[in-house]
Amino acid sequence: MPENSAPPPGGEQPHSVRLTDPRALRAYAHPLRMTLVGLLRRHGPFTATRAAELTGESVASCSYHLRILAKYGLVEEAPGGRGREKPWRATARYTEWPGYSDDPSVAQATDELNVAVAERYFGRFAKVLEGRSGVSKEWREAELFGDALVYLTPGELADLGERIDEMLRAYADREDDPARRPPGAQPVSFLKIAYLDPDTDDGKE
């Protein structure tokens, strides 16, 4: 289950860091930590001081949470700097964790992380919807906002996810190479969410 933002331009990062330790899963579920990792992937490397400027949190708080993230392999120190002025960078482009585990402690921590990520996704989305005055007619009409109820087997749902991933890979090289972006291209957050609906009597909203 991958999550988070695009990496900064230039240089090669591992595709993902995978969390399987319940302690790491719970550590990452903290909203500020997810924000810091996402910012480092887009705008890093940067120091705790810069992190404080970007998040509105204190330097001490950002420094503490960056150290926790480093403990679980999500960020690392970048070359240069010292003390609180040392820069940090993300260790990978994405964060992944199990969709299922036979270990109850991993399963519970995964569920808690999924809830935290869902709250983060929709909190950001709601904030975007509150400030739409500057969005052009062209972009408003192109954006996707809706749902569909479909009847699938687990295998069919997995296949559908793979086909969506394949389509998205056609644009992946634009993350690192701005020269590949056509005129007018802007960053678009594309959420993939499909879940077993517990209330099929509701139909569509």
Side-chain angles (χ1 to χ4, degrees), residues 79 86 100 108:
K86 63 189 175 189
Y100 172 81
Q108 182 177 354

Short mmCIF file of all heavy atoms in Angstrom, two decimals, residues 79 86 100 108:
data_model
loop_
_atom_site.label_atom_id
_atom_site.label_comp_id
_atom_site.label_asym_id
_atom_site.label_seq_id
_atom_site.Cartn_x
_atom_site.Cartn_y
_atom_site.Cartn_z
N PRO A 79 24.19 15.38 3.70
CA PRO A 79 25.51 15.98 3.94
C PRO A 79 25.43 17.46 4.27
O PRO A 79 24.56 18.19 3.77
CB PRO A 79 26.23 15.76 2.61
CG PRO A 79 25.53 14.61 1.97
CD PRO A 79 24.09 14.73 2.39
N LYS A 86 21.48 20.84 10.66
CA LYS A 86 21.83 19.77 9.74
C LYS A 86 20.63 19.49 8.83
O LYS A 86 19.47 19.47 9.28
CB LYS A 86 22.22 18.50 10.49
CG LYS A 86 21.11 17.90 11.35
CD LYS A 86 21.65 16.79 12.22
CE LYS A 86 20.56 16.27 13.16
NZ LYS A 86 21.08 15.34 14.17
N TYR A 100 -2.32 -6.71 4.47
CA TYR A 100 -2.84 -7.76 5.34
C TYR A 100 -1.68 -8.39 6.09
O TYR A 100 -0.58 -8.50 5.56
CB TYR A 100 -3.55 -8.84 4.52
CG TYR A 100 -3.95 -10.05 5.35
CD1 TYR A 100 -5.11 -10.03 6.11
CD2 TYR A 100 -3.14 -11.18 5.39
CE1 TYR A 100 -5.46 -11.11 6.90
CE2 TYR A 100 -3.48 -12.26 6.18
CZ TYR A 100 -4.64 -12.23 6.92
OH TYR A 100 -4.98 -13.29 7.72
N GLN A 108 -3.30 -4.56 13.56
CA GLN A 108 -3.90 -3.44 14.29
C GLN A 108 -3.17 -2.13 13.98
O GLN A 108 -3.79 -1.09 13.75
CB GLN A 108 -3.88 -3.70 15.79
CG GLN A 108 -4.54 -2.59 16.60
CD GLN A 108 -4.56 -2.89 18.09
OE1 GLN A 108 -4.19 -3.97 18.52
NE2 GLN A 108 -5.01 -1.92 18.87
#
